[in-house]
Amino acid sequence: MTARERLALLLDQGSFQELGALATHNMADFGLEDSQFPGDGVVTGFGHINGRRVAVFAQDFTVLGGSFGVVQANKICRVQDLALESGIPLIGLNDSGGARIQEGVGSLAAYGEVFVRNVLASGVIPQISVIMGPCAGGAVYSPALTDFVIMVRNTSFMFLTGPEVIKAVTGRDVGVQELGGAEIHSTKSGIVHRVAESEHVAIEEVKALLSYLPQNNHDDPPQIAPHDSQDRMDDELNTIIPNDDRTAYDVRTIIERVFDRDSFLEIHPLWACNAVVGFARLDGFSAGVVANQPAHLAGAIDIDASDKISRFTRICDAYNIPIITFVDTPGFLPGIEQEYGGIMRHGAKILYGYSAATVPKISVVLRKAMGGAYVAMSSKQLRCDLNFAWPSAQIAVMGAKARSASCAGRRSKSRMIPRP
Ligand code: HXC
């Protein structure tokens, strides 16, 4: 789709109010006297999504590859400023080859103007980025500063430096999809929060995501009428957690049964799968859900899971969304790679996120809450408001088997110490 077609699909019919439609660059400065660049490669303005006001920009790849110069920057900065002043979400549809080569350092400086506005708006108004085409350089840094990144599979990619530069610097051949496709960014780098199979689906994803978020950090998320009764009981919940505490199960089956039917929207479903985070509703009210995932790495918390959980708790805290945590973890993942990679630096972010959050917090220990992970996963000591334990809960420094193995080891060592 073109930039305007995408906006037409995103916004309520007839609601788009364009800004800066006639802005163009004086390309004579760059030796392109005869060329016209309508809108300077971006369409900006305001509109409504399901009746709620939003600010938008959509880059236009048909104009110099959607590349980013000073006029484009002025247009985007203007809509960022107005979104922040008005307290409304900003949605960016990104499709740009990055800094406009012809404009040299002018476009680099202009990127700085956009980035600083991304940061000042962070946690104040929701910012959602959709990657809808090839995006390079600065065109991916701005999305990286926003709350959520949605990427369209196959037709979009994102990287800081492209395959040719990588080949020149490292000698390594890599294709665009292998380097920066949706598969890589949703499973390995973790920059992408949701992958959409088409542009249409990506736009639906924006609308769905927005439905859990408030207009700004002074507002509450909308309440959406549930399809089920708020006091329904579910006996199946008694049977999902296996009796054997080493048997895996999918924690999402519990989440889906606890919250309003079909309301769970998972964030980062394909990355750091040993943790599950996402939005859901209770009696129509938005809630942030955090859980360990026993079906992956037994639910142990590693570096990526730490980043996933901590970032999500910070977002919930910023946007007045209560956090409900389901705990089933044997602890932080032991290993040399984890220690060298900075598990302390990353794990500390979970402690920080829960401790700092002032939204209502509830935790439910489903099965194992062991060691440091007991403390980290929304413990009472980190200011959780209500801590529940299911009948299957075990809370300890370590599991009984690990404890007896460790005691046996210590006994045998002590026997080797010669007595005086
Ligand atoms: C000016 C650009 C451009 C750019 C693309 N075009 N990127 N013009 N500046 N950055 C133009 C092309 O010249 C071409 O013009 C048209 O857009 C379409 O581009 P194609 O290459 O034909 O399209 P495609 O094959 O799909 O490849 C898309 C692409 C590639 C992968 C994005 O164009 C590309 O690699 N562009 C350069 C990416 C880049 O290095 N950007 C600078 C990053 S540095 P014509 O007239 O032929 O149709 C940066 C610094 C910011 O952004 C740092 C912030 C921290």
Side-chain angles (χ1 to χ4, degrees):
M1 286 188 282
T2 64
R4 285 181 191 281
E5 285 167 343
R6 289 167 181 166
L7 287 176
L9 203 61
L10 177 69
L11 301 172
D12 296 350
Q13 203 177 0
S15 71
F16 183 48
Q17 170 68 57
E18 189 167 354
L19 295 178
L22 303 178
T24 54
H25 209 297
N26 180 6
M27 293 304 280
D29 297 347
F30 306 106
L32 296 167
E33 296 72 2
D34 302 330
S35 308
Q36 281 280 314
F37 299 106
D40 210 58
V42 72
V43 182
T44 58
F46 293 97
H48 289 92
I49 293 179
N50 295 328
R52 296 169 70 195
R53 291 178 66 214
V54 293
V56 289
F57 70 84
Q59 289 170 318
D60 183 350
F61 197 81
T62 65
V63 178
L64 278 176
S67 60
F68 181 91
V70 172
V71 173
Q72 179 171 143
N74 289 344
K75 289 179 70 175
I76 293 178
C77 289
R78 181 82 181 122
V79 86
Q80 285 180 301
D81 288 341
L82 290 170
L84 190 56
E85 279 172 29
S86 319
I88 58 175
L90 176 64
I91 294 143
L93 307 183
N94 297 270
D95 195 348
S96 163
R100 186 172 297 155
I101 312 287
Q102 295 87 332
E103 294 192 39
V105 292
S107 56
L108 289 185
Y111 260 133
E113 298 288 347
V114 170
F115 298 160
V116 76
R117 284 167 175 78
N118 284 135
V119 173
L120 294 176
S122 183
V124 183
I125 52 168
Q127 299 179 81
I128 301 175
S129 302
V130 191
I131 308 296
M132 299 203 108
C135 290
V140 294
Y141 258 132
S142 173
L145 287 165
T146 62
D147 298 319
F148 299 103
V149 181
I150 297 165
M151 194 166 178
V152 181
R153 198 185 293 283
N154 297 328
T155 52
S156 74
F157 53 82
M158 50 195 304
F159 44 68
L160 278 187
T161 45
E164 279 146 41
V165 178
I166 289 186
K167 169 87 177 155
V169 175
T170 68
R172 214 180 131 190
D173 279 314
V174 61
V176 284
Q177 284 299 336
E178 189 195 345
L179 180 65
E183 182 69 21
I184 292 298
H185 287 313
S186 59
T187 59
K188 261 187 190 314
S189 77
I191 177 93
V192 165
H193 298 86
R194 303 266 311 167
V195 174
E197 298 304 319
S198 69
E199 295 190 25
H200 286 76
V201 175
I203 282 170
E204 288 309 311
E205 294 256 327
V206 173
K207 296 182 189 181
L209 195 48
L210 213 51
S211 73
Y212 295 89
L213 300 169
Q215 290 293 86
N216 56 61
N217 65 350
H218 289 269
D219 195 18
D220 288 322
Q223 188 191 8
I224 303 214
H227 303 300
D228 46 16
S229 153
Q230 62 155 321
D231 50 10
R232 70 185 160 76
M233 300 301 279
D234 190 335
D235 288 340
E236 288 281 314
L237 283 170
N238 291 326
T239 62
I240 295 171
I241 298 179
N243 289 332
D244 174 8
D245 70 3
R246 297 170 78 93
T247 304
Y249 64 95
D250 188 343
V251 75
R252 288 174 298 194
T253 54
I254 289 182
I255 294 169
E256 275 155 16
R257 287 175 176 279
V258 169
F259 291 89
D260 293 355
R261 200 184 328 134
D262 300 329
S263 75
F264 182 50
L265 180 79
E266 194 171 349
I267 302 294
H268 279 312
L270 305 172
W271 176 68
C273 298
N274 38 334
V276 172
V277 303
F279 296 110
R281 295 192 179 89
L282 277 178
D283 195 26
F285 290 101
S286 216
V289 184
V290 177
N292 309 113
Q293 173 57 290
H296 197 92
L297 280 179
I301 303 172
D302 63 355
I303 289 171
D304 285 348
S306 300
D307 285 356
K308 178 172 174 174
I309 292 172
S310 56
R311 190 178 192 280
F312 187 72
T313 55
R314 302 284 285 159
I315 285 185
C316 291
D317 189 38
Y319 297 122
N320 309 319
I321 301 172
I323 304 167
I324 301 177
T325 304
F326 295 92
V327 187
D328 189 349
T329 174
F332 283 95
L333 184 69
I336 295 168
E337 275 160 27
Q338 291 292 311
E339 297 289 340
Y340 286 3
I343 182 68
M344 286 173 263
R345 186 160 45 84
H346 294 273
K349 293 185 222 170
I350 306 186
L351 304 173
Y352 193 104
Y354 276 118
S355 303
T358 55
V359 289
K361 287 171 282 185
I362 294 176
S363 86
V364 185
V365 178
L366 295 176
R367 196 166 57 168
K368 285 176 271 190
M370 300 290 172
Y374 154 75
V375 187
M377 291 301 292
S378 201
S379 63
K380 194 177 279 181
Q381 292 69 27
L382 300 192
R383 306 204 297 167
C384 183
D385 298 295
L386 292 169
N387 298 76
F388 294 101
W390 273 23
S392 44
Q394 305 168 31
I395 303 170
V397 176
M398 59 175 70
K401 279 188 188 137
R403 164 89 184 129
S404 47
S406 122
C407 289
R410 221 173 294 137
R411 270 199 303 276
S412 61
K413 270 197 204 117
S414 66
R415 271 200 296 275
M416 286 187 298
I417 299 170
R419 287 175 184 276

